[in-house]
Amino acid sequence: MISVEFLFDYASPYSFLANESLGAKLPGVEIDYRPVYLRGFESFAKTIPFTAPKLAYMILDLRRCAADLGLELRVPNSFPINGLFALRGALAAKRAGRFAAYHRAIFEATWQRGRDISTKDAVAALATELGFPEVASALDDASIKDELRANTESAIKRGAFGLPTFFVGAEMFWGHDRMDQVAREATRAAAS
Amino acid sequence: MISVEFLFDYASPYSFLANESLGAKLPGVEIDYRPVYLRGFESFAKTIPFTAPKLAYMILDLRRCAADLGLELRVPNSFPINGLFALRGALAAKRAGRFAAYHRAIFEATWQRGRDISTKDAVAALATELGFPEVASALDDASIKDELRANTESAIKRGAFGLPTFFVGAEMFWGHDRMDQVAREATRAAAS
């Protein structure tokens, strides 16, 4: 079976939309989830702070794209947010064998319930509340920090500059709105 | 019949893709073509020069999206380019009652034949070659400069920050990849 790499950040609402679309757009495809720190990308850092008209449109676009998926999306008052600690949490959850549940819970808390994830304390409290105390206590582990940094550096080396990003082999795709292209490439790769 | 405003710049390859998609995505919809100067937008100006990975991906994405439409797209060696004079030409062509032919010819020359449009001389020569001498001689007309400036300022006042942009009444949409949303809004507006 073909595997598709899905590079995401919990701070990225378009990553949330992509995550929600995986089942419909890539049925039967094995997803390799890669937590990556969006603010580590020079191209993204250059865009923040968003200009006022871009920010206003982005919020509108996110709501429209979420509605197209039958979802409500809540944009936090302080946006853009920072996914660093929630991403470290994902790596801690993976080590504990609980990645899938953590991943779903954090994305939902952030983008459907408007929960803050921008600080270590906020993520630790949220993880504890959601039933992941082993994550809450691992947010400063050196090896977890290193793993996230390595993920991000590897993504940059392979050409990534924003999130969500997909890789099908060496072929890169950026954006939840390119998932039809990802699906076609995955089908092509599986047949070859 | 409902009318949709299509704000474009000849320098914008995604505007070219949107223009090529109008018939398929918005059949039976009256299109109000609005030449707008992309470099007049603060949000766009902030993105140039594009970072190397973003530029590399954009070229790949443009080719993929063009292929999805059954088109070949040629990205000029010096990209991004400047649409100022070609846009002034569109306003001159409109006054001469020859907008549709000029519009098609300039988009095609720029994005399918790799012709340079970044200087006044280049646009004047291209317009003459394509059979629009009245355009070539009007590229510095004060009233044409004013009209393009007014188009761009009006777009900014209404919230635009990139191109292509569509307006269905007051509802704004950005990007050739949001044309399905434009079509749905146009259908909704026509029915209400």
Side-chain angles (χ1 to χ4, degrees), chain A residues 42-43 46-49 51 53-54 57 61 64-65 68 159 161 171-174 176-178 181 184, chain B residues 42-43 46-47 49 51 53-54 57 61 64-65 68 159 161 171-174 176-178 181 184:
Chain A
E42 182 199 349
S43 297
K46 201 176 158 187
T47 67
I48 51 177
T51 61
K54 186 159 191 174
Y57 177 77
D61 182 58
R64 283 177 181 154
C65 292
D68 288 348
F161 59 93
E171 290 292 310
M172 188 179 88
F173 301 85
W174 174 51
H176 84 289
D177 44 18
R178 295 297 185 273
Q181 292 179 356
R184 284 197 295 274
Chain B
E42 182 199 350
S43 297
K46 201 175 158 186
T47 66
T51 62
K54 186 159 191 174
Y57 178 78
D61 182 58
R64 283 177 181 154
C65 291
D68 288 348
F161 59 94
E171 291 292 310
M172 189 179 87
F173 301 84
W174 175 51
H176 85 288
D177 45 18
R178 295 298 184 272
Q181 292 179 356
R184 285 198 294 274

Side-chain angles (χ1 to χ4, degrees), chain A residues 57-80:
Chain A
Y57 177 77
M58 198 183 297
I59 290 171
L60 180 62
D61 182 58
L62 285 165
R63 291 204 178 115
R64 283 177 181 154
C65 292
D68 288 348
L69 299 174
L71 299 170
E72 264 194 66
L73 184 146
R74 281 179 62 174
V75 178
N77 293 331
S78 66
F79 177 75

Side-chain angles (χ1 to χ4, degrees), chain A residues 46 51 53-54, chain B residues 9 11-14 37-50 54 58 79-83 160-163 174:
Chain A
K46 201 176 158 187
T51 61
K54 186 159 191 174
Chain B
D9 185 332
S12 154
Y14 290 104
Y37 187 44
L38 181 57
R39 292 184 183 228
F41 293 151
E42 182 199 350
S43 297
F44 178 77
K46 201 175 158 186
T47 66
I48 50 177
F50 299 133
K54 186 159 191 174
M58 197 183 297
F79 176 73
I81 58 175
N82 191 326
F161 59 94
L163 295 174
W174 175 51

Side-chain angles (χ1 to χ4, degrees), chain B:
Chain B
M1 183 165 63
I2 192 79
S3 157
V4 168
E5 291 170 72
F6 171 43
L7 284 61
F8 66 91
D9 185 332
Y10 295 115
S12 154
Y14 290 104
S15 292
F16 166 73
L17 294 179
N19 190 66
E20 290 288 332
S21 305
L22 289 170
K25 293 287 189 186
L26 299 169
V29 172
E30 187 182 309
I31 304 297
D32 182 1
Y33 295 87
R34 300 274 177 123
V36 169
Y37 187 44
L38 181 57
R39 292 184 183 228
F41 293 151
E42 182 199 350
S43 297
F44 178 77
K46 201 175 158 186
T47 66
I48 50 177
F50 299 133
T51 62
K54 186 159 191 174
L55 177 61
Y57 178 78
M58 197 183 297
I59 291 172
L60 180 62
D61 182 58
L62 284 165
R63 292 205 178 114
R64 283 177 181 154
C65 291
D68 288 348
L69 298 174
L71 299 170
E72 263 194 65
L73 185 146
R74 282 180 61 174
V75 178
N77 293 331
S78 65
F79 176 73
I81 58 175
N82 191 326
L84 182 63
F85 300 101
L87 291 165
R88 287 190 194 160
L91 297 171
K94 197 174 270 188
R95 291 182 188 188
R98 304 188 62 204
F99 171 75
Y102 173 88
H103 180 72
R104 191 168 51 240
I106 290 287
F107 257 145
E108 193 262 345
T110 308
W111 295 109
Q112 300 202 277
R113 290 191 290 121
R115 290 294 299 262
D116 179 32
I117 58 163
S118 284
T119 66
K120 188 169 68 177
D121 287 350
V123 172
L126 181 58
T128 302
E129 179 191 319
L130 294 171
F132 301 90
E134 72 278 41
V135 167
S137 62
L139 298 176
D140 266 335
D141 281 12
S143 71
I144 289 209
K145 289 183 187 179
D146 288 347
E147 189 178 344
L148 181 59
R149 204 174 294 121
N151 274 7
T152 306
E153 282 169 11
S154 162
I156 291 169
K157 274 199 192 111
R158 296 169 76 193
F161 59 94
L163 295 174
T165 285
F166 296 87
F167 281 100
V168 185
E171 291 292 310
M172 189 179 87
F173 301 84
W174 175 51
H176 85 288
D177 45 18
R178 295 298 184 272
M179 290 178 77
D180 288 331
Q181 292 179 356
V182 174
R184 285 198 294 274
E185 179 61 20
T187 302
R188 199 202 58 74
S192 72

Side-chain angles (χ1 to χ4, degrees), chain A residues 84-97:
Chain A
L84 182 64
F85 300 101
L87 291 164
R88 287 190 194 159
L91 297 172
K94 196 173 272 188
R95 292 181 187 189

